[in-house]
Amino acid sequence: MRISEVLNTTYGKLLNTPFISAFTSLACSLEQVKTGSLFFANDKDDIAKAIEKGAYGIVFCGTCKIIEEEIAWIEVDSISSAIKLLIRYILSMQKLKVVLLKDLELDIAKDLSLQAYIFEGSSKEKFIEYIYNEPKKEQFLLTKDASLKDILPNILESKSVLESKSQSFQSLPSKNLLSLLRHTLFESTLLYKGRVFNLPLPYILVPYLESLLHLCEKEGISYSLENYKKNSSINFLYLDSNNHLSDKETSKVLIQTSKPEVFLTYASYLEKKASYLKLICLSLDSKTPSLESNTHQKILCASEAKLISTIKDTDFNLCLLEGVRLSFLQQSFAKDTTSKGLFDLT
């Protein structure tokens, strides 16, 4: 990006006559600074280190001492506003359309082989680094960062196919791309464009897939269900009679998620569709809202150790877990392969 582009876009003022004329990257943190970067100095104490790392220019607000004449020193009224203006400029130059998705839609999008980029950050600083520093060949960029709506008034948004929360437990809307043939607690069989797909996608997430596909169809984003993988927002672990992990289906299942929305929706779904099963709901996150249930309560565990002991001491078929790491559960319920058997002489 040329100095003149930065000045014209940000309404900045060049305070010196630098040796350089353009920048090869943008950096809002010292970690991203490399030779050729334009550094946005939110903290002026970082300027010297940025120059040491190879910054070709400094964007700053207020007063600042010029300590290196060969690089560009650009004064702006507001660094935040300058970043916003440059984001709009870069997107227009790249002809890149930004699409705002719901959190769960973005999770599903990762597994759909979409012809689009996916931004998982949550700040305009990370966003401008992403869109400028990495070459872009696709036309669309998907994100869940709602703060970008303040920067991009024409941002595209997915439209939920659900008219109400309760509809997620009924049939899909009539104007749908997917037809539900059958489903279990853990997967769904769908008819899509004359083909049957058995997806490792719980039924409660199918409406999010549906709304995402509607968006792709409308905007012309290529996608494929061929190699859809297991969604990372929810995981299932089977326990045997000794509370060890099992590769086979058993009568005791741990349902783990890190997303409060999935936790609450799945709890409501299980109460309606699997009331004949013994269900417990455990959480380590005190911020998760209480369950809207007459028969089930969320048990808040004070520690991971208390959560594990509750699982081992409770009779259940389904244990819905939120706020606990999948790796921790796998480690806690793994079989002990180090102990010796009665006749093990080695």
Side-chain angles (χ1 to χ4, degrees), residues 24-157:
T24 57
S25 66
L26 304 179
C28 297
S29 65
L30 283 176
E31 291 75 13
Q32 295 299 317
V33 176
K34 54 189 176 182
T35 301
S37 293
L38 174 63
F39 178 60
F40 294 85
N42 282 299
D43 187 345
K44 293 176 184 176
D45 291 338
D46 293 335
I47 291 177
K49 185 64 176 179
I51 295 174
E52 182 182 323
K53 295 186 69 173
Y56 274 18
I58 306 295
V59 176
F60 65 94
C61 178
T63 60
C64 186
K65 182 180 179 180
I66 296 178
I67 58 176
E68 174 57 67
E69 288 286 352
E70 291 189 351
I71 70 171
W73 295 80
I74 300 173
E75 181 185 357
V76 296
D77 293 333
S78 166
I79 290 180
S80 178
S81 297
I83 291 174
K84 292 178 181 179
L85 291 169
L86 280 173
I87 286 176
R88 294 173 189 163
Y89 176 72
I90 294 168
L91 291 176
S92 66
M93 294 301 294
Q94 294 183 350
K95 298 182 179 179
L96 192 62
K97 296 181 180 179
V98 180
V99 182
L100 180 62
L101 300 179
K102 300 173 183 64
D103 187 8
L104 294 176
E105 289 173 337
L106 192 69
D107 279 344
I108 293 173
K110 299 174 190 176
D111 301 322
L112 275 183
S113 302
L114 294 177
Q115 294 293 310
Y117 300 101
I118 295 179
F119 173 69
E120 298 187 67
S122 58
S123 71
K124 61 182 180 297
E125 290 80 11
K126 294 294 184 183
F127 186 72
I128 195 171
E129 292 172 345
Y130 179 80
I131 62 175
Y132 187 77
N133 297 343
E134 298 183 27
K136 300 291 181 292
K137 296 181 181 179
E138 305 296 347
Q139 185 182 2
F140 296 92
L141 186 150
L142 312 180
T143 179
K144 62 180 180 181
D145 185 3
S147 67
L148 293 175
K149 294 175 67 175
D150 297 331
I151 304 174
L152 307 171
N154 296 323
I155 193 171
L156 300 172
E157 292 189 64

Side-chain angles (χ1 to χ4, degrees), residues 278-315:
K278 297 176 182 177
L279 170 67
I280 59 172
C281 302
L282 307 180
S283 177
L284 288 175
D285 188 357
S286 60
K287 296 180 181 179
T288 303
S290 300
L291 302 177
E292 297 178 0
S293 169
N294 295 322
T295 56
H296 302 298
Q297 286 187 331
K298 180 189 74 175
I299 301 174
L300 182 62
C301 299
S303 66
E304 290 182 332
K306 177 62 176 177
L307 182 141
I308 296 301
S309 65
T310 301
I311 293 174
K312 291 182 177 181
D313 296 339
T314 306
D315 181 27

Side-chain angles (χ1 to χ4, degrees), residues 195-335:
R195 296 183 58 188
V196 176
F197 291 88
N198 187 39
L199 303 182
L201 185 72
Y203 176 50
I204 64 164
L205 299 182
V206 172
Y208 295 96
L209 172 62
E210 175 77 13
S211 61
L212 183 59
L213 295 186
H214 271 286
L215 174 72
C216 292
E217 291 282 340
K218 179 181 177 182
E219 300 298 335
I221 304 175
S222 300
Y223 61 90
S224 173
L225 291 177
E226 292 284 350
N227 300 313
Y228 185 84
K229 298 174 292 185
K230 185 178 75 67
N231 188 265
S232 60
S233 62
I234 191 165
N235 299 282
F236 304 97
L237 301 174
Y238 296 99
L239 298 183
D240 62 20
S241 58
N242 295 315
N243 284 322
H244 292 147
L245 293 178
S246 173
D247 295 330
K248 301 178 181 179
E249 290 190 9
T250 67
S251 60
K252 297 182 71 174
V253 185
L254 304 180
I255 306 174
Q256 179 272 344
T257 181
S258 60
K259 299 182 180 297
E261 181 180 1
V262 174
F263 179 81
L264 295 173
T265 305
Y266 216 92
S268 180
Y269 170 70
L270 291 174
E271 183 179 11
K272 290 179 172 65
K273 297 297 184 180
S275 57
Y276 57 93
L277 298 174
K278 297 176 182 177
L279 170 67
I280 59 172
C281 302
L282 307 180
S283 177
L284 288 175
D285 188 357
S286 60
K287 296 180 181 179
T288 303
S290 300
L291 302 177
E292 297 178 0
S293 169
N294 295 322
T295 56
H296 302 298
Q297 286 187 331
K298 180 189 74 175
I299 301 174
L300 182 62
C301 299
S303 66
E304 290 182 332
K306 177 62 176 177
L307 182 141
I308 296 301
S309 65
T310 301
I311 293 174
K312 291 182 177 181
D313 296 339
T314 306
D315 181 27
F316 66 88
N317 300 121
L318 302 174
C319 177
L320 186 58
L321 299 156
E322 193 267 333
V324 60
R325 294 170 289 115
L326 175 62
S327 59
F328 175 75
L329 291 174
Q330 292 171 327
Q331 180 181 2
S332 300
F333 294 99
K335 290 184 179 179

